[in-house]
Amino acid sequence: MRPVAKKIKFLSTYIMSKHIFVTGGVTSSLGKGIIAASLAKLLQARGLSVTIQKLDPYINVDPGTLNPYEHGECYVTEDGAETDLDLGHYERFLNIPTSQANNVTTGRIYQTVIEKERAGAFLGKTVQVIPHITDEIKNRIRLQETLGTYDIIITEIGGTVGDIESLPYLEALRQLRREIGKENCVVVHLTLIPYLSAAKELKTKPTQHSVKELLQAGIQPDILVCRTEYALPKELRDKLALFCNVDEKSVIEAIDAETIYDVPLLMLKEKLDKIVLKKLGIKNHNEPDLTQWKDFLGRLKNPTREVKIGLVGKYNELQDAYKSIYEAFIHAGSVNECKVRVIPIHSETLENGDIANKLKGFDGILVAPGFGERGIAGKLEAIRFVRENNIPFFGICLGMQCAVVEFCKNVLGIKQADSTEVNPNTTEPVIDLMADQKEITAKGGTMRLGAYDCKLQKNSISYKAYGKVDISERHRHRYEFNNAYLERMEAAGLMATGKNPASGLVEVVELKDHPYFIGVQYHPELKSTVENPHPLFVSFIKAALQHKA
Ligand code: GLN
């Protein structure tokens, strides 16, 4: 039953979809993205069509120029937008692609308004936060209504209520709610109920304060989702309901979960989806069909075997820097009924010898994407070791480029072989800046970004994994394999098994006579979802299992 997605007239505006907003209180990192994605999953499983978007209050136009230490992974969409990593969760949970339209920052909002001002759109007027910035925020929120026939649009507001940066977003939300009517708009406030071990008590005061902040902005939340380490007793729920002015049923417990993939089921148990639908006046009597999701969880939690994978990178202090890779391993592990233990290895620690000892006991090594010269030597050491010792290898983007450099140096004997990203003056640029990048000096949004086609060679590891010749994968890079070295490289056994059909750009390299050695210029991790685990991750885990056996 698909009940809504029809035009609803309210005041002077038509709305095509109902809206859910997710705000955050007390602290950051409570997992708004996971709660939003879980709620979306439940609604989708009931047969409703849902999309999620994220509003980020920082001034960068997009997170593409942010260091992974600052902001975690930069997630790239099909259309080449560099976005917040929460969009990765949306795609992994919902199994539908997002786009540039699903992520907006304050920087982009201001950029648009300033461009309009320069074009004369506000002639005669003083341009101000209210109404000009808030109008633009509302436009962006409602843009989704025109992009698809969504029953429900979920908007996650980044940051924490009380931040100066969040104020225009809350004001825009207050206005929008007034314009489209409360029955078309639900506000879910995610908050923290800390446990004081000395007092052995869960505390509600921080939540009361954060709701007060919201009220000051003119927003009464409809539902409180409470992050907690311990179950919320009834008295506490009642107290929160009373002080925060919501009904008792709308105080939802979000207890710490073993895996983020448990959260949709925990929210189902707490009836978050039902409460939301009731508040939005959507009659939906379908029970959510979560069969596939539960199958996935069943296999994830009951592995029959285990492999140990080394993730060689340089941003290892922060797991979020490789978020999609970790998640892709979880998906691929579940398919193989295999627990994948991913051990981060800082590439710089591999630089001073004793590599055999450092990589002992690994069933596979993945060399991660990255930028700049720091840590490259360690990556080359790791690749040489796994190449010579028949250990499964998977190189992604920079990892693939390092595999080429290592092969050219140590097998072809081209001692000066390098990437010009690492050594701009090398006489043997086996990895070089792409021709169309040479004139570019600006850094934001200027890489080769988004989905490009690739043609695979039959009889390759990749073809076997994908089961087809024509694939499309997402990219984020400036450098590429230098085709001047192709003949020599292939003659020695490193084969270019995947190429972009239009430009001839090498997308995949594979080593002959090795059980599993593959490097890809693209980012397969970005397309792995619960329902569609990525074939290369699945085949890499299979190879690791074989290696272990
Ligand atoms: N730094 C490399 C390039 O720009 C690889 C990028 C990446 O790993 N995402 O080509």
Side-chain angles (χ1 to χ4, degrees):
M1 186 176 71
R2 299 235 348 197
V4 277
K6 59 177 187 253
K7 270 192 182 181
I8 306 161
K9 176 127 165 80
F10 191 84
L11 291 181
S12 57
T13 46
Y14 277 105
I15 69 160
M16 299 293 295
S17 319
K18 302 229 175 190
H19 288 264
I20 299 172
F21 289 87
V22 181
T23 58
V26 184
T27 70
S28 56
S29 307
L30 290 182
K32 279 197 298 287
I34 303 293
I35 292 293
S38 299
L39 175 56
K41 182 77 226 171
L42 294 177
L43 298 170
Q44 185 194 53
R46 285 175 175 274
L48 294 161
S49 94
V50 192
T51 187
I52 322 184
Q53 57 185 340
K54 172 137 195 219
L55 309 178
D56 272 311
Y58 51 77
I59 296 169
N60 304 62
V61 171
D62 62 43
T65 52
L66 287 174
N67 188 314
Y69 289 126
E70 289 269 325
H71 195 255
E73 167 188 274
C74 172
Y75 187 80
V76 180
T77 55
E78 286 290 293
D79 61 347
E82 296 178 286
T83 71
D84 186 77
L85 58 78
D86 273 337
L87 271 75
H89 291 309
Y90 307 163
E91 290 203 10
R92 288 187 280 272
F93 276 53
L94 296 183
N95 201 34
I96 48 174
T98 54
S99 75
Q100 178 68 74
N102 296 72
N103 190 199
V104 184
T105 68
T106 295
R108 197 174 289 277
I109 298 281
Y110 270 80
Q111 192 183 45
T112 313
V113 172
I114 291 168
E115 274 166 13
K116 283 188 188 166
E117 188 274 335
R118 291 290 82 183
F122 311 116
L123 272 190
K125 291 269 177 257
T126 310
V127 180
Q128 293 177 304
V129 174
I130 307 170
H132 302 98
I133 296 296
T134 47
D135 278 353
E136 188 55 33
I137 294 174
K138 286 188 286 178
N139 286 342
R140 287 304 300 239
I141 292 170
R142 300 195 59 184
L143 176 65
Q144 291 292 348
E145 291 175 29
T146 63
L147 298 179
T149 47
Y150 298 115
D151 297 320
I152 294 172
I153 296 165
I154 302 183
T155 305
E156 177 190 346
I157 300 183
T160 309
V161 169
D163 296 346
I164 291 180
E165 288 87 349
S166 300
L167 283 174
Y169 292 95
L170 296 180
E171 170 59 15
L173 163 53
R174 182 192 69 79
Q175 293 175 19
L176 190 110
R177 207 178 190 198
R178 197 183 133 267
E179 288 160 20
I180 65 175
K182 283 193 176 144
E183 65 282 19
N184 296 316
C185 175
V186 157
V187 177
V188 177
H189 187 54
L190 177 63
T191 176
L192 176 71
I193 309 293
Y195 179 76
L196 288 192
S197 44
K200 295 198 173 52
E201 251 185 292
L202 287 163
K203 291 302 206 183
T204 64
K205 192 70 84 192
T207 299
Q208 296 178 38
H209 280 295
S210 87
V211 169
K212 226 184 225 169
E213 287 278 354
L214 265 182
L215 285 170
Q216 226 165 58
I219 299 162
Q220 165 68 55
D222 300 293
I223 297 171
L224 296 179
V225 175
C226 305
R227 279 297 306 273
T228 172
E229 287 172 50
Y230 298 93
L232 288 186
K234 167 121 183 23
E235 315 85 75
L236 216 99
R237 294 189 192 227
D238 291 350
K239 184 175 172 187
L240 280 162
L242 177 67
F243 280 93
C244 301
N245 201 23
V246 298
D247 38 69
E248 282 94 15
K249 281 195 180 131
S250 298
V251 178
I252 303 283
E253 167 193 295
I255 201 155
D256 287 358
E258 190 186 320
T259 145
I260 55 169
Y261 299 104
D262 275 336
V263 179
L265 299 181
L266 293 173
M267 290 303 104
L268 179 69
K269 215 172 108 206
E270 288 283 306
K271 303 193 171 66
L272 177 60
D273 55 332
K274 268 198 175 155
I275 295 165
V276 163
L277 289 175
K278 191 161 172 224
K279 289 196 189 291
L280 289 175
I282 298 177
K283 290 200 174 49
N284 179 299
H285 304 292
N286 299 344
E287 278 311 304
D289 178 5
L290 291 162
T291 324
Q292 219 181 331
W293 193 271
K294 287 181 184 163
D295 282 353
F296 159 80
L297 268 180
R299 284 192 309 271
L300 181 67
K301 293 194 170 183
N302 300 291
T304 52
R305 43 216 179 144
E306 182 177 316
V307 289
K308 192 168 138 189
I309 304 293
L311 172 62
V312 178
K314 68 170 175 182
Y315 310 112
N316 295 24
E317 295 83 353
L318 190 76
Q319 273 220 359
D320 273 2
Y322 301 119
K323 191 85 210 157
S324 295
I325 293 179
Y326 279 98
E327 299 306 321
F329 273 128
I330 292 176
H331 308 152
S334 168
V335 174
N336 286 296
E337 293 183 19
C338 171
K339 179 172 171 55
V340 182
R341 275 179 55 212
V342 183
I343 314 285
I345 303 174
H346 210 297
S347 53
E348 281 167 306
T349 64
L350 300 176
E351 282 168 16
N352 36 26
D354 202 15
I355 191 89
N357 205 22
K358 286 175 189 159
L359 296 187
K360 204 168 80 191
F362 284 100
D363 306 306
I365 293 289
L366 183 145
V367 175
F371 293 85
E373 61 175 325
R374 185 168 65 89
I376 293 288
K379 290 184 174 171
L380 299 183
E381 288 292 322
I383 294 167
R384 178 178 200 154
F385 181 78
V386 296
R387 179 176 55 75
E388 292 178 344
N389 291 282
N390 288 329
I391 297 165
F393 165 75
F394 190 6
I396 297 182
C397 205
L398 179 65
M400 171 268 197
Q401 297 174 354
C402 287
V404 169
V405 172
E406 190 279 324
F407 189 83
C408 291
K409 267 187 198 294
N410 299 327
V411 179
L412 293 182
I414 308 175
K415 288 297 162 225
Q416 300 303 314
D418 223 328
S419 160
T420 48
E421 182 180 14
V422 178
N423 176 8
N425 302 318
T426 179
T427 50
E428 304 281 4
V430 295
I431 301 292
D432 200 4
L433 200 58
M434 285 180 275
D436 51 5
Q437 287 283 330
K438 292 198 167 138
E439 303 303 313
I440 297 175
T441 49
K443 291 286 181 249
T446 55
M447 285 188 244
R448 180 173 181 249
L449 290 165
Y452 284 91
D453 290 339
C454 169
K455 223 177 196 28
L456 298 175
Q457 250 171 42
K458 291 197 172 168
N459 312 321
S460 60
I461 299 174
S462 42
Y463 173 76
K464 225 174 115 190
Y466 285 92
K468 57 183 179 188
V469 167
D470 294 305
I471 59 162
S472 163
E473 291 281 2
R474 298 184 199 168
H475 297 73
R476 184 173 189 246
H477 65 122
R478 289 187 209 282
Y479 295 82
E480 64 175 335
F481 174 72
N482 181 348
N483 273 317
Y485 293 86
L486 182 63
E487 238 172 79
R488 271 190 281 170
M489 187 179 82
E490 290 202 321
L494 189 60
M495 315 305 288
T497 54
K499 284 186 190 159
N500 177 281
S503 66
L505 182 142
V506 172
E507 295 279 12
V508 188
V509 295
E510 294 178 23
L511 190 60
K512 262 194 192 159
D513 306 323
H514 186 288
Y516 194 98
F517 188 103
I518 179 167
V520 292
Q521 185 56 75
Y522 51 81
H523 290 266
E525 72 277 19
L526 301 176
K527 280 178 75 169
S528 188
T529 70
V530 166
E531 280 164 44
N532 274 320
H534 196 282
L536 287 183
F537 278 85
V538 174
S539 72
F540 180 52
I541 294 305
K542 282 205 169 85
L545 279 165
Q546 259 159 26
H547 178 266
K548 191 178 179 184

